[in-house]
Amino acid sequence: MDDESRNAPMFNQSVEKGLAILAAFGSRNRRMSLSQIADTVGITRSSAQRIVFTLETLGYVTKDPHTRRYELANKVMEIGCNYLEANALIDSANPFLSAFNSNCDETVSLTEPCGTTMTYVASFTSRKHIVAHMAIGSRMPMYCTAAGRAYLSGLPEDEIRALLAESDLTPLTPHTLLDIDAITASVLEARARGYSTNFEEYYLGHLNVGAPVLNNSGRAIAAVHVVAPSSRWTRDDVIGRLAPMVLECAQSITNAVRAH
């Protein structure tokens, strides 16, 4: 969000702070004291106290009476569930994702863009051992993932570079590409062949291939990707066997989206 929008008369800072408090909880901050909440969000303790009291009253956070620490209540899931239930793309994609998952018996997912990240909105998990599980709502960066590069491949080059410039280019593994020109070249190559790859750039042991879902204007709106553990797949097998499958799945979802 730019400063101009944040300083607009219609912008409500209390709502912003309330959402920031909810977003501050996670695997690293499962339970927090009032002071910790204030420090994490960057607001005063008195402001945090008023907002947390409101969130607690509404049922979005709960407080342990003994430790006096707060944690998220399951009511926050209502908002996410409402989004998933109202998302026509997910309804269109699920049959094709399920079929893809059955054909390859690996984890197949649909992600949508959110800033410089991709958010998991649907996933069919492999019945075999998986290295890591990404829950619905989890995010991953665009710059070093097959899903992110697949999505970027469906955008104009100036937008690709702008999103990469905004990204926190962190070396997540020894294989992570960090040079914007090199990443852009990888994205443009993905555009030319129809699918993107990520070989252990985001997570060691993961070989990924993805393809974009396009709207009627030919612009990417989401991405399909499959995770192939290196213990079961070689790079050549990923490209030779899984890439055609992910292309077919993404194209089927694209056709379904365009038909609505």
Side-chain angles (χ1 to χ4, degrees):
M1 181 188 302
D2 55 40
D3 290 337
E4 183 178 353
S5 297
R6 183 173 274 107
N7 293 327
M10 292 292 290
F11 187 80
N12 191 309
Q13 293 184 343
S14 294
V15 174
E16 179 189 29
K17 292 175 182 177
L19 293 174
I21 287 174
L22 293 177
F25 289 92
S27 59
R28 296 183 179 180
N29 296 316
R30 297 179 187 275
R31 299 175 182 84
M32 291 189 286
S33 66
L34 200 58
S35 296
Q36 288 174 318
I37 292 172
D39 291 341
T40 301
V41 178
I43 59 178
T44 64
R45 193 178 188 282
S46 60
S47 179
Q49 187 174 33
R50 292 193 301 272
I51 296 170
V52 169
F53 175 81
T54 302
L55 293 173
E56 184 182 12
T57 301
L58 295 174
Y60 291 105
V61 299
T62 60
K63 182 172 66 175
D64 187 303
H66 303 291
T67 66
R68 303 187 66 80
R69 290 178 179 270
Y70 295 88
E71 62 183 317
L72 292 178
N74 60 24
K75 188 177 180 181
V76 299
M77 297 177 66
E78 287 183 3
I79 300 172
C81 286
N82 288 342
Y83 175 78
L84 297 175
E85 290 174 357
N87 191 317
L89 171 62
I90 298 174
D91 285 340
S92 297
N94 275 335
F96 303 108
L97 296 172
S98 177
F100 184 10
N101 167 256
S102 296
N103 289 336
C104 68
D105 200 12
E106 297 294 355
T107 300
V108 175
S109 303
L110 178 73
T111 59
E112 292 183 330
C114 181
T116 60
T117 66
M118 300 297 290
T119 302
Y120 282 79
V121 294
S123 188
F124 288 79
T125 307
S126 173
R127 293 172 298 175
K128 302 174 183 177
H129 172 74
I130 56 177
V131 180
H133 172 66
M134 302 294 285
I136 300 301
S138 299
R139 294 185 185 183
M140 59 183 174
M142 286 182 183
Y143 72 93
C144 63
T145 58
R149 289 177 185 169
Y151 169 74
L152 290 171
S153 72
L155 303 180
E157 186 171 343
D158 59 337
E159 291 187 38
I160 296 171
R161 289 186 174 275
L163 283 167
L164 292 176
E166 294 173 13
S167 301
D168 178 17
L169 303 180
T170 303
L172 301 177
T173 79
H175 309 291
T176 308
L177 274 182
L178 299 177
D179 180 75
I180 288 180
D181 288 337
I183 299 170
T184 302
S186 176
V187 170
L188 296 179
E189 182 181 352
R191 177 187 294 171
R193 67 190 178 194
Y195 66 87
S196 61
T197 59
N198 156 34
F199 297 139
E200 298 190 290
E201 291 187 54
Y202 178 56
Y203 203 101
L204 290 175
H206 278 191
L207 309 178
N208 296 359
V209 60
V213 176
L214 308 174
N215 64 13
N216 286 313
S217 301
R219 181 183 177 86
I221 55 173
V224 176
H225 80 278
V226 57
V227 178
S230 58
S231 59
R232 293 194 288 270
W233 295 81
T234 66
R235 296 188 182 194
D236 288 343
D237 284 339
V238 167
I239 293 173
R241 295 170 55 193
L242 293 181
M245 291 185 188
V246 79
L247 274 170
E248 180 182 4
C249 182
Q251 186 59 58
S252 296
I253 298 171
T254 293
N255 292 340
V257 169
R258 290 175 172 176
H260 282 81

